[in-house]
Each structure stands twice: as structure tokens, then as C-alpha cells.
Amino acid sequence: MHLLSCRLQRVRQHLDLQLTFGRQLTLIGGVNESGKSTLVEALHKTLFLRSTATGRGVEELRSRTHGGLPEIELCFAANGERWSLRKRFAGAGGTCQLSNQQGQALSGPAAEEELARLLGLEGPIEGRRIAQLPERWAHLWVRQGDSGFNPLEGKPESYDYERLLQQLQSKTDLGTLQSSLDRQVVEQLQQRLGQLFTPTGRIKAGSPLAQVIQKEQDCLAQLNEARQQLRELEQAMERLGTIAERLRTIDQELRPDLLRERELEQQQQLLQAELEPVLLQRNTLEQQQKQRQELERTQQEQRKEQLLLQLQLAESDEHQKLRTTQRRQDEQQIAAAQEQLQKLRVRQEAIRQRIALQQLRRERQQLESHQQEMNRLQSEASRLKQTLAELPPIDAEQVRGFRRAEQAAAQAEARLEAMATSIEVLQSNQAIQLAGEAIQPGERRQLNSISDLQVGDGVRLRVSPGGGESLPQAQAQLEHCRKECQLLAQRLGAANSEAAETIEQQRRSLERDLINLRNAAKAIPWSGLSERLNALLPRQHELEQTIAQDSQEGLPEDATALEGLDGELRQAIQQQDTALDRQQQHQQQQRQQEETQARQLEERRNRLEQLGGSLAMLNARLQQESQGESPEDVAERLKRLEQQLLERRAALTAIDSERKRLQHQRPGSLGAAQRLEQLDQEKEQLLNERGQNEQLCASLGAQNPTAQLELAQARWENAQLDRRNQEREAQALQLLQEHFHQAQAELANRYSEPLCSALNPYLEVLLNTGPERALLEFNPKHGFQQLQLLQDTQAYAFAQLSGGMREQLSGALRLAMAEVLMGAYDGALPLVFDDAFTNTDRQRLAQLQSMLHRGMEQGIQLILLSCHPEDYQDVLNWAQKNPLESLEGASGVEVNLSR
């Protein structure tokens, strides 16, 4: 079976993709997200997923950019015929069509079943079983990211285990793994064990073993029930005796004491009720007596406070008069000090005006000096700028360029002179002409070009200077340099570089002088100079007029004397100001003290008024109190009440002592009434419980509990014996099956040799070592296991290898499995690798390509998908140069996908 062509319509990013598969190799390249893995997934689902499937498997095929439902057409060869398969995935409305060259055309479920038969499967995958889809042909369909997995680690069904076993048996001369007798034994063992155990090893429900176990559990439950009944009968009889004893204790011991305690409690409550009115009368009399005493004490204290306040008010009035006299004197002193301070400040202001006038005059002189200097600098700068403008604008770089041009012209002239030829006529009796011009004896000419030399009428020579072809170039170079010098001289206004340098130095000197002038001008505060001068004149006139009008006399004109006098006045003003501040602060403190004393005086007067009113009220209350009982009568009444309280408290003490004795004899903190109620409830509960236990004893005693227990014990022991027999039989069957499998496995291990024989040539090409490189074990129940790789006599499990080596070993194993299985599929099988060797280093790439060559030589159809198809160009070239005539189509095909 091999693939011929396919067409994908509206599948994810593919609107309409058509491609033809090579007979031996199809190399599909493209960048990430170009649809390579989509193509692999679509082909796989076309072969193995039912077209009417729903759910995630179908949704993954649908395009998000192109409208319509996914439709895939696949042409393949199988069973010696060419088949065309078309599937349209539309959920429950999906369609499947299958036809061949013989005219057979099927659709719907019939087409699905025929496709499954051609692929060697029971049927297609339903949508609800989508999780099983990756297991179909997992050994031939290597998805991106799965290349490093061991294909033998999955379920045996995922790598076509039955057909692989048949092909391996056909390649050996050891016969089949199981004879007919072996098969019958295995089937009977499996049947017997299947009746007892589930596939997971659990005991099967309803089996003989489960029945005897259930019977044993039932008998054990009956035995426990019999034991429980006997235990309950014994407990009920014991409880009846306990209840009778407790009822006797309640009636004969506890209740009499509690009744006496309740009687005492009632007597105590009666005495307590009689005691409360007496206590109330005594407390009322004591309170009245205390209130009278408190009123008398308060009256005495307020009279003392009233007398004290009257004395303090008289003293405060006297102090107030003295403070008023002192305040007036202080105010007069402060006014005199303020007047003196004002005079000093007026004189200081006059002095400072004269000082300011002198400063204005000095500042005016300085500004006028600056203005004159500024005018001079501006005049000098204008002259320098005029001189600078008259000179040609030549800088140092232009001078250097002029000098380089002159040097180049001199070098060109020297080079031309070196190649020139000189002719000198020493003596001649004939006329000599050079380039048509006569030349006399003793005359010397220099030739820079080819010229004709004529001697007389019969001799004509052609003279060529040295240099050959370089001479015209030297002449042209000289002419170019001379023209460039002339242009520079005209542009710069100088005859030569020396004159230009002289001009440049003059310009640089003038610019330097101009910069110095600017720096000198910067040192002068020229900004707003005229405005400042104009602003000084009004201020000066104003100060002169003010000084002329003041009345200060005897002031010096000298600035130093004025400043000294200003300092003395400033010190005197400061001292006078400090003294005035002290006087004002003292005055402020005196005012605050007066305000405080005034407030205190007002408070005392208010308090004195309050005391007068309070004393009047106290006198009224005391007079009212004196109209009732006298203090002696109140004291007599208190004495009688105290006697009554003593008598009643003695009776309460006797009752309380007896109650405490009774309470000490019983436990708990409850009162007698509560305890009696609790005992009544307990007695009622005990009577009910006694009736229940008597009824239970009557019911349990109707049968013989001991005999029932012995019968249940015997049944349970018999059930245990039956369960042990069944377990021994099951263990014997399991042991027999284990021995049979062990013997079969020893024989089956020899059937892993054909698969290793198919695998080792690929490893030999890949690793460039001996033929024995792979180890493999076989279990008839679980299939092929324990794939190992030999390296330097050391066996390494698949999981111990590096990522790249796992990819390569897995690829070699898949090639070997495809090679073995081809016999069951018309001698050809497709093997798909989607970016399968991403971890393989480039040094191993040549061996990997050789391994793929061998697979194609054996007839395997390889489909390689990679982001780097250039890595497999040698494989493609080999396939195109070494075609297999037994297969249809081109030998090697390359396809490039783009986004």
C-alpha cells in the first residue's frame, strides 16, 4: 500500500492544495505555520476517522479563513489496485466515497468498512473515540514532537502487532508461537480465570470465588449478630440490677435530705423577707442623720470661705490703686522714649540721604567712564572689521589646498622633465630644423613630445622622448595641475600659496584683535548703560532738593565722617529701640497681670455671691430638719432597729448552717428544688428503662442465644473452608498460566531476532559499527519490550539515550517495522516523518541520509516534512537517480509550502 496523490480543500489554512507523492520519497518543505503538520493530520484523519464524526477531531480541520467544510481526496494503491478516496467532514452530514479502477464504487458506511479492510483494521474511529486516533499506524505516522518516542512502548494495537507477528513468524523456521494444543490450554486457562477475575486482576462479581467470599462474609455477619444478641441479653440483665439499686437509693436516701433542705430554704426566704423592711428603716434613719451632719459641716466651711473672700477683696482693691498709678508712670516714660527714638531716626535719614547722594554721584562718574570706553572699543572694532573686509576671505585649509596643488604641479613638471629628451647641436655644416624650427650650433632644445628632426635636405629623423605611453599622461597631469593652480589663484585673489598664507595670517591677526575687543567689551556692563545714566539724574536732583529742605545742621560733608556718624546713630537707635521694647514688654506683662487679677477679683465676687445664696439655703434646710425628730429620738430608733436585725440574723445563721451541712452531704451545685426535680426525672427515666430491659430480656430469652451462637460459628467455619478451597484453585490456575507464559516467553524471545535482524542493518549504516547493535525482548501477552542499544559492549535503555539518539533509533526501528510489515501490504508502505530529526546533529546527517536510502531501497515510501528541506537534498537526488520500477509515479518529488 502506498500513497499516490492528495487534494485538500478548505482545510485550516489550505484553500486548495494538490500534490503528488513520489514512489520512494516525497520531500515537503516550508517555514513554520505553512501547513506541513496540517497536511499530515489531514491525511491521517482521512484514512482512519469516520467522515460523520463530530467534536474536536473535525473542528480541528475546519478553516478559520476560508468558508465551507473541509474536503479531502486521496489516491492510493492497495491490493494490486488503484483506489480513490474522497471524504467530506461535515459532522452527521459527512460523506465518504471510495472507488477503484475496476469500476467498484462505494459510499457511506460501506466505503468506510472497505477502507478499513484495505488498511487491515476492524473499522474507522468514531468521533467519541477520538482519543484512540493517534494509535492508528502510530509506527508509520510520526507527528511533530513524537519522533523521540519508542513506538513499542504503546499498546500492541498501535504498531500493528498481529500482522507484525505473522510476518516475523513467516521469516523463521521455528513454527508458530502456539500449537493448537497450547492454544486450547491457554483458552481454557483464560476462560477459567476469566470466570474468576476481571482483566484488571480483581475478583469478578458473581464468580464462584466471589460467591464463597460473600457467603463467608454473610456467615461472619450472622456470627457477629449472634454474639451481639448474647451480649445484649447479658447487658440488659446487668442493667436491671443497676436500675433497682438506683431506685432504692433515690427513695430511701436522697429524697428525705432534699425535702428537709427545701423546707429550710423556704424558712430562710421568709426570714430574709422580714429582714428587708427593718434594714430599709435603719438605712433611711442613718442616711437622714448623715445628711444633717453633712449640712452642718458644709455651713461651717462656707462661712469660713466667705470671711476669707471678703478679706481678699479688700486687699485686691488696694493693690489695684497702686498698679494704676504705676501704669501711668510707665506710659509717660514710653512716650518720652518713642519721641527720642523718632528724633534719632529723622537725623539718621538725613545722613543716609547725603550718603546716597554721594554714591549716586560716584556711580554716575563710573557709568560715564564706561560709556566713553565702550565708544572707543566700538570705533576700534569698526576699523578692524573694515580692514578684515578688504582682505580676501582665505582660511588655513584653503592655503593648505593651494600649497598641495602647487606641489602636485611641481611633481608633474618634474616627472615630465624626467621623461623628456634634450638635443644640443655642437657643430654642423648643414641647416638643422626641429619640428619645423631652425636650430643653431650651440643651441639646446628639450623635447616633451614626438618631433621630426631634419638635417639638410636628405636627412629626416623622428625623435621620441622616454616614457612611452606615460608621457601623454604626464603632460595631461601637468596641464591639469597648472589649471587648478590658476583657478585657486583667481578664487583666492593671490598669486601663489605664499601670498595666500600672508593674507591668511593677516586675517587671523585681525580676527584675534577683534575677539580681544569683544572680550574687553564683555567686561563692561554696557547693557542699558544710557538708560541707567538717564535714570540717575532724577534721583540725584530729588535727593539734592530733599537735603536742601531739611533742618539738620552741623552735619559733615565728608563721606567717611557721614558713614561714621551713621554707624553711631544706628547703634544709638538700636539701644533706644531695645530699651523701648523692654519697657513695652514690661507694660504688656503688667496689663496681662492686671487682666488676670481682674478676672480673679470678679471670680471671687461671684463666689462670694454664690456663698451668700448657698448659706441662706443651708440655714433654711437646717431649720426645716429641726422641726421633726430630735437627734436623740433618731438615735433611740436606730438602737431598737439594730436589736431586731441581730435576732433575725442569728436565726438565719442557724438555718444556713444546717443547709450547708445538707448540701455538703450531696454532690453538685444545684439547689434542693432543682435536685429534687432532677431526681424525679431520673426516676421516671429509670422506670422506663427498666420496662424496656425487661421487655428485651423477655424477647431475647424466647430463644437460646448460646445455641444460636454455636450454630453461627459452625456455619462461618464451613464458609471459610469453602473460600480457602476456591482460592487455592484460583491460585493454582494463575500459577499454571504464569508457568505456561514463562515457557512461551522463553520460546517467543527467539521471535524477536527477525525484527532485530531487520533493525540492525539500519543501525549499522547509522552508527558505522558492527551488525549486532539492538536488543529486544518479546512477551506474547504484552508484545515487544525492553528496546536497548549496544554501545561499546554496554546496553543502554531507550530512555537513557540522548534526544538526538532517541530520534535516530526510533526512526531506524520504524523503518525496520515498515520493512517487515510490507509483505502484508502488497510490498509497500508509507512512512511519514514530520520534522522528525530536529535534535540530530549535522555530523550525523550523512549517516541518517544513508539510513533513509536503505529504507527506500527496501521499497518503503518515505514522506519527509521539514523546515530545512535542504538537509535532505542528497536523499531526494538519490531517489530520483535510483527509481523502483515496481511502484507507480515519479521516484522522488519535492514540494514547497508557503504561508
Side-chain angles (χ1 to χ4, degrees):
M1 185 268 185
H2 65 281
L3 305 180
L4 300 176
S5 64
C6 72
R7 180 180 183 184
L8 278 64
Q9 294 178 289
R10 300 173 296 280
V11 178
R12 291 187 188 171
Q13 65 265 53
H14 299 304
L15 175 61
D16 192 351
L17 174 66
Q18 300 184 54
L19 60 89
T20 301
F21 297 101
R23 292 177 301 176
Q24 293 174 273
L25 175 65
T26 303
L27 179 58
I28 302 175
V31 298
N32 292 330
E33 301 299 326
S34 60
K36 302 188 299 299
S37 299
T38 298
L39 173 62
V40 172
E41 194 69 20
L43 294 177
H44 189 264
K45 289 181 177 178
T46 303
L47 290 174
F48 303 111
L49 182 63
R50 189 180 291 274
S51 61
T52 57
T54 58
R56 176 173 55 86
V58 176
E59 290 297 326
E60 290 174 349
L61 292 177
R62 293 188 176 179
S63 175
R64 299 293 184 267
T65 56
H66 310 300
L69 298 171
E71 187 172 339
I72 304 168
E73 183 178 355
L74 178 63
C75 294
F76 61 92
N79 287 354
E81 296 182 4
R82 178 189 177 98
W83 296 84
S84 177
L85 172 65
R86 180 189 293 270
K87 282 190 177 183
R88 181 172 178 268
F89 293 95
T95 59
C96 176
Q97 297 175 356
L98 181 66
S99 61
N100 60 9
Q101 293 176 330
Q102 303 300 324
Q104 183 181 2
L106 302 172
S107 63
E112 297 279 10
E113 297 301 325
E114 180 63 19
L115 175 63
R117 187 189 66 80
L118 293 173
L119 298 176
L121 303 170
E122 296 180 359
I125 296 292
E126 302 289 345
R128 62 180 181 274
R129 297 166 54 206
I130 190 66
Q132 299 178 5
L133 185 63
E135 298 178 359
R136 290 291 174 92
W137 279 21
H139 58 301
L140 301 176
W141 228 269
V142 186
R143 293 174 173 81
Q144 189 177 27
D146 294 344
S147 58
F149 296 155
N150 181 4
L152 299 178
E153 290 182 353
K155 297 179 181 179
E157 296 80 5
S158 65
Y159 58 86
D160 207 356
Y161 169 70
E162 294 296 337
R163 281 183 175 77
L164 182 63
L165 197 61
Q166 292 174 3
Q167 294 300 314
L168 290 174
Q169 289 176 352
S170 66
K171 295 180 180 294
T172 63
D173 56 356
L174 297 175
T176 61
L177 287 174
Q178 293 181 348
S179 64
S180 59
L181 179 59
D182 291 341
R183 189 176 296 107
Q184 292 177 6
V185 172
V186 171
E187 290 176 355
Q188 289 185 10
L189 285 174
Q190 290 178 348
Q191 181 181 4
R192 294 284 299 277
L193 289 173
Q195 295 175 354
L196 298 176
F197 300 100
T198 63
T200 59
R202 297 179 179 273
I203 298 174
K204 182 180 290 186
S207 65
L209 180 57
Q211 291 176 0
V212 297
I213 292 175
Q214 185 62 40
K215 182 179 178 181
E216 180 187 8
Q217 293 175 353
D218 294 342
C219 292
L220 180 59
Q222 294 175 4
L223 175 61
N224 292 332
E225 185 179 0
R227 289 173 177 170
Q228 182 64 24
Q229 289 180 355
L230 183 59
R231 191 180 302 110
E232 289 177 356
L233 179 60
E234 294 173 351
Q235 291 176 352
M237 294 175 67
E238 182 179 357
R239 182 59 181 163
L240 284 173
T242 304
I243 291 172
E245 180 62 25
R246 181 59 179 169
L247 288 173
R248 185 194 65 78
T249 302
I250 290 174
D251 292 336
Q252 298 179 10
E253 297 178 4
L254 298 178
R255 282 183 63 82
D257 292 341
L258 288 172
L259 291 172
R260 175 58 181 165
E261 185 178 353
R262 186 175 63 181
E263 182 182 356
L264 292 173
E265 184 178 357
Q266 292 173 353
Q267 293 176 4
Q268 188 179 25
Q269 291 175 354
L270 181 59
L271 286 173
Q272 189 71 34
E274 294 175 354
L275 185 63
E276 289 179 358
V278 178
L279 283 172
L280 182 59
Q281 291 178 12
R282 188 199 65 176
N283 292 338
T284 302
L285 287 175
E286 288 179 348
Q287 186 176 5
Q288 290 176 356
Q289 190 177 27
K290 288 180 180 179
Q291 287 178 354
R292 183 178 182 84
Q293 294 173 356
E294 182 67 23
L295 287 173
E296 291 175 351
R297 183 185 61 78
T298 304
Q299 185 184 38
Q300 291 176 1
E301 290 177 354
Q302 289 184 358
R303 284 176 178 173
K304 290 179 181 179
E305 185 179 359
Q306 184 182 34
L307 180 60
L308 179 63
L309 285 173
Q310 289 173 351
L311 294 174
Q312 289 177 352
L313 283 173
E315 185 179 356
S316 297
D317 290 338
E318 186 65 27
H319 288 167
Q320 182 69 23
K321 294 177 182 179
L322 294 174
R323 282 194 297 271
T324 301
T325 303
Q326 183 66 34
R327 184 175 68 251
R328 289 174 181 173
Q329 294 176 358
D330 292 341
E331 289 175 352
Q332 292 174 358
Q333 292 177 359
I334 289 173
Q338 289 177 343
E339 183 179 358
Q340 180 64 25
L341 181 63
Q342 181 64 26
K343 291 179 180 180
L344 291 174
R345 284 176 176 170
V346 169
R347 187 170 181 80
Q348 184 186 37
E349 180 63 22
I351 292 172
R352 289 185 175 179
Q353 287 176 353
R354 287 166 172 76
I355 293 173
L357 179 60
Q358 293 183 0
Q359 288 178 350
L360 283 175
R361 289 172 179 171
R362 288 196 299 272
E363 185 178 357
R364 180 181 175 184
Q365 292 175 359
Q366 186 178 12
L367 290 175
E368 290 175 348
S369 174
H370 287 166
Q371 191 174 31
Q372 293 174 1
E373 179 66 16
M374 193 68 186
N375 293 334
R376 186 189 68 79
L377 291 176
Q378 288 178 348
S379 176
E380 182 67 18
S382 299
R383 184 186 65 77
L384 291 176
K385 289 179 181 178
Q386 182 66 28
T387 305
L388 189 63
E390 293 174 355
L391 292 175
I394 301 175
D395 57 15
E397 184 61 30
Q398 291 175 330
V399 172
R400 286 193 291 272
F402 199 175
R403 186 175 290 112
R404 286 195 296 269
E406 289 180 343
Q407 291 174 355
Q411 292 175 359
E413 186 175 0
R415 182 183 176 191
L416 185 61
E417 289 178 357
M419 292 185 289
T421 299
S422 62
I423 295 177
E424 183 180 2
V425 179
L426 300 178
Q427 185 177 0
S428 176
N429 55 3
Q430 298 183 25
I432 301 174
Q433 291 183 350
L434 179 62
E437 295 181 1
I439 183 172
Q440 302 299 326
E443 188 176 353
R444 183 184 179 92
R445 295 282 182 89
Q446 189 172 7
L447 300 180
N448 294 326
S449 60
I450 299 174
S451 303
D452 292 341
L453 179 66
Q454 185 175 354
V455 180
D457 295 331
V459 179
R460 188 177 182 182
L461 302 175
R462 176 162 291 178
V463 181
S464 299
E469 297 179 355
S470 299
L471 183 61
Q473 296 177 0
Q475 291 176 343
Q477 180 67 24
L478 178 59
E479 185 66 22
H480 174 72
C481 290
R482 285 175 177 174
K483 289 181 178 179
E484 186 175 358
C485 289
Q486 292 176 358
L487 290 174
L488 287 173
Q490 293 175 359
R491 186 167 65 247
L492 298 179
N496 51 39
S497 61
E498 294 179 356
E501 184 177 7
T502 301
I503 294 172
E504 189 273 331
Q505 290 176 353
Q506 291 177 358
R507 287 185 62 85
R508 190 163 49 191
S509 176
L510 290 173
E511 289 174 351
R512 197 163 42 245
D513 293 342
L514 191 59
I515 291 172
N516 293 334
L517 288 176
R518 290 195 184 105
N519 293 333
K522 289 180 181 178
I524 298 174
W526 55 271
S527 178
L529 194 60
S530 299
E531 291 79 0
R532 290 163 62 189
L533 274 172
N534 295 330
L536 285 177
L537 291 175
R539 291 173 55 193
Q540 182 178 353
H541 293 326
E542 183 180 355
L543 285 174
E544 289 175 350
Q545 293 177 0
T546 303
I547 292 172
Q549 294 174 0
D550 64 20
S551 58
Q552 298 293 329
E553 298 178 356
L555 295 178
E557 296 293 334
D558 183 56
T560 304
L562 286 172
E563 289 177 356
L565 187 57
D566 180 63
E568 293 174 359
L569 284 174
R570 185 169 57 252
Q571 185 175 4
I573 289 172
Q574 184 176 2
Q575 293 175 355
Q576 188 69 19
D577 200 6
T578 303
L580 182 60
D581 287 342
R582 285 199 297 268
Q583 289 177 357
Q584 289 176 345
Q585 290 176 2
H586 177 70
Q587 186 182 25
Q588 183 67 23
Q589 291 175 357
Q590 291 293 331
R591 287 176 181 174
Q592 292 176 355
Q593 290 177 1
E594 288 177 4
E595 292 175 357
T596 303
Q597 291 172 358
R599 286 195 299 270
Q600 293 176 354
L601 185 60
E602 184 66 23
E603 290 174 357
R604 288 170 182 173
R605 286 175 179 156
N606 293 335
R607 178 59 181 163
L608 191 59
E609 292 178 0
Q610 292 176 0
L611 288 174
S614 178
L615 284 171
M617 292 176 60
L618 288 174
N619 291 331
R621 290 185 62 183
L622 286 172
Q623 289 176 3
Q624 184 180 1
E625 291 288 339
S626 62
Q627 293 176 1
E629 292 180 328
S630 63
E632 292 78 10
D633 296 337
V634 173
E636 184 62 27
R637 285 183 62 189
L638 281 175
K639 186 176 180 181
R640 290 196 300 268
L641 290 173
E642 286 291 344
Q643 184 63 32
Q644 293 176 8
L645 287 174
L646 289 174
E647 293 174 357
R648 286 172 172 76
R649 283 173 177 170
L652 283 173
T653 302
I655 294 172
D656 188 59
S657 177
E658 187 175 358
R659 282 190 63 194
K660 287 181 178 179
R661 180 182 62 78
L662 294 173
Q663 288 174 355
H664 182 71
Q665 293 177 358
R666 61 176 175 82
S669 60
L670 295 177
Q674 294 175 336
R675 182 59 178 157
L676 279 171
E677 184 179 358
Q678 189 181 55
L679 286 177
D680 292 338
Q681 293 176 358
E682 182 182 0
K683 182 177 179 180
E684 184 178 358
Q685 292 176 358
L686 290 172
L687 293 173
N688 292 333
E689 187 177 357
R690 184 177 65 180
Q692 293 173 0
N693 280 279
E694 289 174 350
Q695 185 178 3
L696 179 61
C697 290
S699 62
L700 293 176
Q703 298 178 354
N704 188 351
T706 304
Q708 293 293 330
L709 177 62
E710 292 176 354
L711 179 60
Q713 180 74 27
R715 289 175 179 172
W716 177 61
E717 292 175 354
N718 292 332
Q720 276 188 319
L721 182 60
D722 293 341
R723 190 257 304 163
R724 293 193 188 98
N725 292 335
Q726 285 289 339
E727 286 180 346
R728 281 196 293 269
E729 182 179 354
Q731 291 171 358
L733 290 173
Q734 289 176 333
L735 183 61
L736 179 59
Q737 186 186 46
E738 182 180 353
H739 286 305
F740 189 84
H741 282 166
Q742 184 177 1
Q744 193 177 36
E746 293 175 357
L747 178 64
N749 285 335
R750 286 175 283 177
Y751 286 87
S752 62
E753 295 177 1
L755 183 57
C756 290
S757 299
L759 174 58
N760 283 325
Y762 291 100
L763 296 179
E764 182 179 0
V765 173
L766 179 66
L767 303 176
N768 293 328
T769 54
E772 298 295 334
R773 302 302 304 167
L775 298 177
L776 195 62
E777 295 183 6
F778 176 75
N779 187 310
K781 185 176 181 180
H782 302 289
F784 292 96
Q785 298 175 331
Q786 302 296 325
L787 175 62
Q788 294 178 311
L789 182 66
L790 280 173
Q791 290 184 344
D792 299 330
T793 69
Q794 180 68 34
Y796 295 92
F798 185 85
Q800 295 176 322
L801 302 175
S802 65
M805 193 65 244
R806 286 201 299 270
E807 290 180 349
Q808 297 159 22
L809 179 57
S810 175
L813 178 59
R814 296 176 191 276
L815 288 167
M817 295 170 70
E819 179 182 340
V820 173
L821 286 168
M822 284 193 309
Y825 294 93
D826 289 347
L829 269 179
L831 181 52
V832 181
F833 289 106
D834 183 7
D835 272 335
F837 303 105
T838 56
N839 293 320
T840 298
D841 54 79
R842 305 195 67 81
Q843 291 78 4
R844 190 66 65 84
L845 193 58
Q847 292 93 316
L848 176 64
Q849 293 174 351
S850 300
M851 183 177 74
L852 298 177
H853 292 166
R854 174 175 173 79
M856 291 187 291
E857 287 176 348
Q858 304 305 314
I860 300 173
Q861 182 187 22
L862 294 179
I863 301 175
L864 299 179
L865 299 96
S866 175
C867 294
H868 304 283
E870 63 276 5
D871 293 343
Y872 304 99
Q873 287 298 322
D874 292 343
V875 183
L876 178 64
N877 296 335
W878 184 92
Q880 292 173 346
K881 294 177 181 179
N882 300 275
L884 291 178
E885 300 299 333
S886 60
L887 296 177
E888 179 184 354
S891 179
V893 174
E894 182 177 9
V895 178
N896 288 315
L897 300 180
S898 60
R899 291 184 181 177

